[in-house]
Amino acid sequence: MASSVVAQEQAEYYRTETYELPKGVNFEASGIAVLPDGRLAVGLRKGEVWIAQNPGDVAKPEFKLFASGLHEILGLAWHEGALYATQRSEVTKLRDVDGDGKADEYLSAATGWGVSGAYHEYAYGPVFDAAGNLYTSLNSSMGKAWKGAGDEEKHPLWRGWVVRTTPEGKLEPWCAGFRSPCGIGQNAEGDIFITDQQGNWMPTTPLMHARKGAYFSHAESIPDAMRPESPVKIAAKQPDGITVAEAMKTVQGYTPPAVWLPYVKMGQSGTGIACDKSGGKFGPFEKQMFLGEFVLSGVNRVFLEKVGGEYQGACFPFVDGLQCAALGLNFLQDGSLVVGQSNRGWNSKGNRPFGLQRVVWTKKTPLEVEKMELTKAGFRFTFTLPVDTASVGELTGQSYTYPFQSKYGGDELDAKPLSISSAKLSEDGLVLEVACGELRTGYVHEFELPKLKAKDGTMLWHRMAYYTVNKLLAD
């Protein structure tokens, strides 16, 4: 949990409210969808979908059971008059045809990936693009398979992939190299992003831009990349034990994450993704992305920009101290952020096994880094409030990369202090231009900001910022 001082500071800007849940229900909230009329649909890991008639009132949300009998729901979406629940072997379309408040139509909307019975073969999603294509992210197989699975016991298809299902129901492999792609979501422009979790080939949590033919390092997906229908073009074997920076230069087809979230500093297991499209109802972070964090029971924030035609950007701490692990995220129509929670399988901070909370902006603007952009000389920090010039002290930082390896996790490698030659605040106090001596591609550039103070006396809420440089600005 956050310390009492930090928790009090957090509550000044964003308060956390806890929903009253149906009695006797293990409410492991693993999928969150918002209906056009403002109701909140919640998918539970154990295979049920509940709908809150009044999600704006956490004390009396009026939950009603909508659907049941599904297998391990790990994602929920609303699309063109129906709910879509991602369960282990398919995405199921759920409709209430007779209007009695319960689903009476269960139709298979997407299927065709391998399921061997191994415990870790989760499926996540779905998300829909503007053309109605449905995307699902698939966990790599881990654990013992079931002999009755036949050929799938030996090699379950498309594990560690994102697959696309067309409106006509055709399954298409899309991109590969994932370990445990628990979060799948979209930015304001509709591009698809994935979070993964630390393990082999994943040194820490990444945020990856999923697009056709991309490959993100996890070797279990390589055999399927050799299939003729695969859009991913990579070698049958990849190096093991180099750095991410080296892999970007030498590994055929390797696509680095848009953002690395440094281990422990920014959490340990990334989960759900939600983009703030509330029009300012959630504070000064319009169109930015918010990522769930499992182990540390919180939510992080990401700012993205395009450099050289590809996404990269910065991550920042946001809120912590939730009652247990964050899993599914979505915004209500009032601009509050709903966080579904479950502690199943892995330990997390907090004292509850499951739950549902929402994060609400208090209308008080914190002093924060609103955005962090790459410049030719270094970085540009834009703040949410004008900064008092007198508070701009020394900035410190470092850059480091990660291992590209089959071993579990990985430490920060080749760390060097940042050579900061100048830090100039604009006259209006909103922009800090920082010049650095050496920017390195394939490296995280970590900054610890001074104890900045706004002109109105507000202190900087979070001092840490982490920018992943994949490309530099052209001269």
Side-chain angles (χ1 to χ4, degrees):
M1 292 282 287
S3 69
S4 58
V5 174
V6 174
Q8 182 178 359
E9 186 178 19
Q10 178 173 299
E12 283 187 53
Y13 310 119
Y14 290 90
R15 69 176 183 270
T16 301
E17 301 177 348
T18 302
Y19 280 92
E20 183 69 26
L21 301 175
K23 303 296 183 184
V25 179
N26 290 335
F27 212 88
E28 297 180 57
S30 52
I32 310 292
V34 177
L35 280 56
D37 61 7
R39 291 180 297 159
L40 174 68
V42 182
L44 307 188
R45 184 195 62 81
K46 71 175 196 173
E48 297 177 348
V49 177
W50 291 72
I51 294 180
Q53 313 301 310
N54 184 25
D57 184 351
V58 296
K60 295 181 180 180
E62 300 176 36
F63 276 103
K64 294 182 180 179
L65 182 63
F66 179 75
S68 61
L70 303 175
H71 185 189
E72 202 164 48
I73 298 173
L74 290 174
L76 197 65
W78 175 268
H79 179 69
E80 294 186 349
L83 279 168
Y84 289 76
T86 300
Q87 52 176 328
R88 183 165 283 233
S89 61
E90 70 168 39
V91 178
T92 306
K93 180 180 180 180
L94 304 168
R95 283 205 312 152
D96 174 15
V97 178
D98 60 13
D100 66 351
K102 293 185 177 181
D104 40 42
E105 185 176 81
Y106 294 63
L107 300 175
S108 179
T111 190
W113 53 85
V115 178
S116 73
Y119 88 102
H120 219 278
E121 287 177 345
Y122 308 127
Y124 313 95
V127 297
F128 290 86
D129 65 19
N133 297 296
L134 180 160
Y135 297 82
T136 311
S137 57
L138 304 172
N139 223 96
S140 293
S141 291
M142 302 178 198
K144 187 176 180 180
W146 175 53
K147 291 183 178 180
D151 290 342
E152 293 296 340
E153 180 199 2
K154 301 173 184 175
H155 184 80
L157 275 171
W158 310 123
R159 304 310 312 186
W161 283 68
V162 166
V163 294
R164 184 176 89 161
T165 302
T166 68
E168 295 75 34
K170 180 184 177 183
L171 182 78
E172 301 173 337
W174 200 247
C175 55
F178 304 103
R179 177 183 178 268
S180 187
C182 182
I184 178 169
Q186 292 165 289
N187 65 359
E189 290 72 35
D191 296 313
I192 296 170
F193 287 83
I194 303 288
T195 59
D196 212 315
Q197 300 182 344
Q198 189 199 49
N200 52 326
W201 300 109
M202 292 291 165
T204 188
T205 292
L207 177 67
M208 298 167 282
H209 175 208
R211 62 271 204 202
K212 188 175 184 178
Y215 172 70
F216 296 99
S217 82
H218 198 281
E220 184 164 326
S221 60
I222 290 178
D224 285 336
M226 302 298 108
R227 295 178 177 273
E229 65 269 38
S230 166
V232 174
K233 305 304 178 186
I234 54 176
K237 187 175 181 180
Q238 66 187 18
D240 187 351
I242 60 176
T243 68
V244 166
E246 292 169 326
M248 289 169 60
K249 300 174 183 177
T250 62
V251 176
Q252 178 186 346
Y254 173 55
T255 305
V259 172
W260 290 106
L261 281 73
Y263 193 65
V264 177
K265 298 173 182 177
M266 285 293 296
Q268 294 178 230
S269 293
T271 57
I273 299 173
C275 180
D276 178 9
K277 296 185 285 186
S278 67
K281 296 177 182 177
F282 194 63
F285 307 115
E286 175 74 4
K287 296 185 178 180
Q288 296 193 23
M289 301 178 78
F290 292 84
L291 314 183
E293 160 54 28
F294 193 98
V295 175
L296 300 186
S297 302
V299 177
N300 294 312
R301 177 171 63 91
V302 168
F303 165 79
L304 293 172
E305 62 177 344
K306 275 192 172 181
V307 176
E310 302 290 348
Y311 286 109
Q312 61 186 43
C315 60
F316 312 90
F318 185 56
V319 299
D320 65 1
L322 301 179
Q323 59 188 352
C324 67
L327 199 53
L329 280 67
N330 211 334
F331 283 93
L332 291 178
Q333 292 179 355
D334 65 5
S336 59
L337 177 65
V338 176
V339 184
Q341 300 159 5
S342 170
N343 202 21
R344 187 235 181 204
W346 297 267
N347 290 327
S348 68
K349 287 190 174 183
N351 58 7
R352 292 288 305 275
F354 53 79
L356 190 71
Q357 294 180 296
R358 72 171 186 155
V359 180
V360 183
W361 183 39
T362 64
K363 308 302 181 186
K364 182 177 180 180
T365 299
L367 175 59
E368 285 280 75
V369 177
E370 179 186 351
K371 56 184 179 179
M372 179 181 178
E373 300 165 289
L374 183 69
T375 66
K376 291 181 180 179
F379 297 93
R380 177 182 300 114
F381 295 83
T382 301
F383 297 98
T384 57
L385 296 171
V387 172
D388 182 355
T389 304
S391 69
V392 180
E394 182 182 2
L395 284 79
T396 60
Q398 60 176 333
S399 63
Y400 45 82
T401 189
Y402 288 103
F404 186 91
Q405 64 181 13
S406 60
K407 292 181 181 179
Y408 194 103
D411 296 330
E412 297 167 1
L413 300 178
D414 191 24
K416 292 182 180 179
L418 290 174
S419 177
I420 300 172
S421 57
S422 67
K424 184 178 180 182
L425 188 67
S426 62
E427 289 186 9
D428 62 8
L430 289 173
V431 177
L432 183 67
E433 296 279 357
V434 177
C436 298
E438 183 184 4
L439 301 176
R440 299 192 284 176
T441 57
Y443 285 71
V444 173
H445 293 65
E446 172 187 303
F447 282 85
E448 182 173 3
L449 295 167
K451 294 180 180 179
L452 299 175
K453 182 172 66 174
K455 292 180 179 180
D456 66 1
T458 302
M459 297 301 297
L460 181 64
W461 185 15
H462 294 110
R463 294 174 60 193
M464 300 306 298
Y466 310 86
Y467 189 105
T468 299
V469 175
N470 292 326
K471 292 187 177 182
L472 299 173
L473 291 172
D475 293 329

